[in-house]
Amino acid sequence: MTVPAAGRGTTTVAARAVRRIAERAAAEALPDGGSVVRGSADVRGASARIAVGVRLPYPVRADEAARRIRERAESRTAALTGLAVPRAEVRVDALSVGAAPEAGGAEPVPEGAAGLRGGRIRAQRRVPAAVLAAVGAVACGLLLADVVAVRFGEAPAGWRTAVLDWAATHGPADSAVRIGGAVAAAAGAWLLACALLPGLRRRLRMATPAPDVRAALDRAAAARTLRERALGVPGVVGARVRVRRRRARVRTTVGYGDLEEVRAEAVRVLGAGLQELGLARPPALRVGVRREAGWRAEGPVGLEKAAGPASAGRPETGVSGARDGTANGTADGARDGARDLLRGELPDGGEA
């Protein structure tokens, strides 16, 4: 006896089960030292959309690892649940410092594929969408409730009558109508901009190994990386970095050394650092240098610093002589005291 299809029942795979399967499948494709942070799944009919957040070890090629994880999660989830998986998202939420993964496990990048400009990641616009949906739901709900009430014989709501009366007595020449129209036009332009523009301007688009891979780097992370590079330049004791989409400004404070030499080295190091970020369009680099506050290239302070190591045994005698000469306004006394220190002679004729 054959049971009709309508009487055989239905099989439903819960979203929780799909999420667990997607997390497990993503964990199977993680490199050594990686872990799954969290996952989510949305089941609609015979299809499911999954998203997985992962933590990857550093250093690692994030784009290649994310691609392997996404493909594994899609194939395994579809095979084990019987659902179609048209979309799978992999979010790299964190990086953990650890040993670098073995290079043999990574798939080779096709020649000529590296350095492509992947598509820009678009913002989801959750706040504008939620606000618009809430306002529309409230307005439509109030209007529907009033229409149903009138249908059952009740009087129209006072607010609807007041709105109709006001609209009947005010025309386009009124200031209130013009102001309302301007506000509505501005709101419409804002909604169109939210729908058409990609957003996420605080992220810099990165070069990707394949056209279907999209990657972006946060501007704050790029600024921190450039600041670490700037502080590694000999002579630089402080740095302030601001990274924009088209320009990266670095202001360095130099504690010692020639300004031009330090600036040339900073430009070289920071230029190499910008290239290592892997951006599709690196911003233009602007480097500024300035001396540290209180630094003096010549004078009694410079003599004291130079004479300090030579008079380590009895430093107070020579330094006080130089200071006395400076206090009395006699340049010869300061110069003689410094010369005695450099020769290793004490003021009373003895030897240090």
Side-chain angles (χ1 to χ4, degrees):
M1 180 178 178
T2 303
V3 180
R8 297 174 190 172
T10 58
T11 301
T12 303
V13 182
R16 181 180 180 184
V18 177
R19 175 177 60 83
R20 293 288 183 85
I21 293 173
E23 291 176 351
R24 180 60 182 177
E28 295 174 357
L30 282 171
D32 295 338
S35 61
V36 177
V37 179
R38 63 182 181 275
S40 62
D42 183 16
V43 179
R44 297 182 181 180
S47 64
R49 293 187 176 183
I50 58 177
V52 181
V54 297
R55 176 184 287 107
L56 297 179
Y58 179 85
V60 70
R61 285 293 300 269
D63 52 352
E64 295 180 1
R67 178 173 55 82
R68 292 196 302 270
I69 295 170
R70 184 179 69 251
E71 293 175 355
R72 181 68 174 179
E74 287 180 356
S75 60
R76 292 289 287 172
T77 303
L80 296 178
T81 61
L83 301 174
V85 185
R87 180 180 179 182
E89 294 182 358
V90 176
R91 300 183 303 272
V92 181
D93 293 335
L95 296 176
S96 59
V97 179
E102 293 293 336
E107 298 181 4
V109 179
E111 185 177 357
L116 296 178
R117 293 183 181 179
R120 183 176 297 177
I121 301 177
R122 300 184 65 89
Q124 297 183 2
R125 312 289 189 185
R126 295 180 178 178
V127 174
V131 172
L132 182 62
V135 172
V138 170
C140 294
L142 291 176
L143 183 59
L144 179 61
D146 187 57
V147 170
V148 171
V150 172
R151 191 69 176 177
F152 281 94
E154 297 184 7
W159 63 268
R160 188 155 68 101
T161 305
V163 169
L164 292 176
D165 293 342
W166 186 89
T169 56
H170 292 76
D174 293 344
S175 300
V177 176
R178 293 182 177 180
I179 294 175
V183 171
W190 175 63
L191 293 176
L192 286 176
C194 290
L196 299 178
L197 298 179
L200 298 180
R201 298 182 61 84
R202 295 194 63 82
R203 297 184 184 180
L204 303 174
R205 188 168 44 166
M206 301 180 65
T208 56
D212 58 341
V213 178
R214 298 181 180 182
L217 178 65
D218 190 78
R219 293 191 309 192
R224 287 194 296 267
T225 302
L226 293 180
R227 184 176 184 275
E228 292 296 330
R229 290 299 185 91
L231 293 177
V233 176
V236 175
V237 297
R240 296 178 58 186
V241 182
R242 295 185 63 183
V243 178
R244 295 291 183 263
R245 296 182 64 241
R246 299 184 180 275
R247 186 174 292 106
R249 294 184 178 273
V250 182
R251 298 181 180 179
T252 60
T253 303
V254 179
Y256 59 91
D258 184 71
L259 285 180
E260 292 300 326
E261 294 180 358
V262 173
R263 184 182 184 280
E265 181 66 13
V267 169
R268 185 187 67 81
V269 172
L270 294 173
L274 273 178
Q275 296 299 324
E276 293 177 1
L277 292 178
L279 301 177
R281 183 179 297 175
L285 181 63
R286 298 290 184 270
V287 180
V289 295
R290 65 181 181 88
R291 284 292 184 189
E292 186 180 10
W295 191 91
R296 295 178 61 183
E298 55 185 0
V301 177
L303 293 176
E304 292 175 17
K305 289 184 178 180
S311 58
R314 300 163 68 178
E316 60 276 8
T317 306
V319 173
S320 61
R323 289 177 179 173
D324 292 341
T326 305
N328 295 332
T330 306
D332 294 337
R335 185 165 54 254
D336 294 339
R339 185 183 301 110
D340 294 340
L341 281 174
L342 295 177
R343 292 178 178 176
E345 299 178 357
L346 297 178
D348 55 0
E351 293 184 358

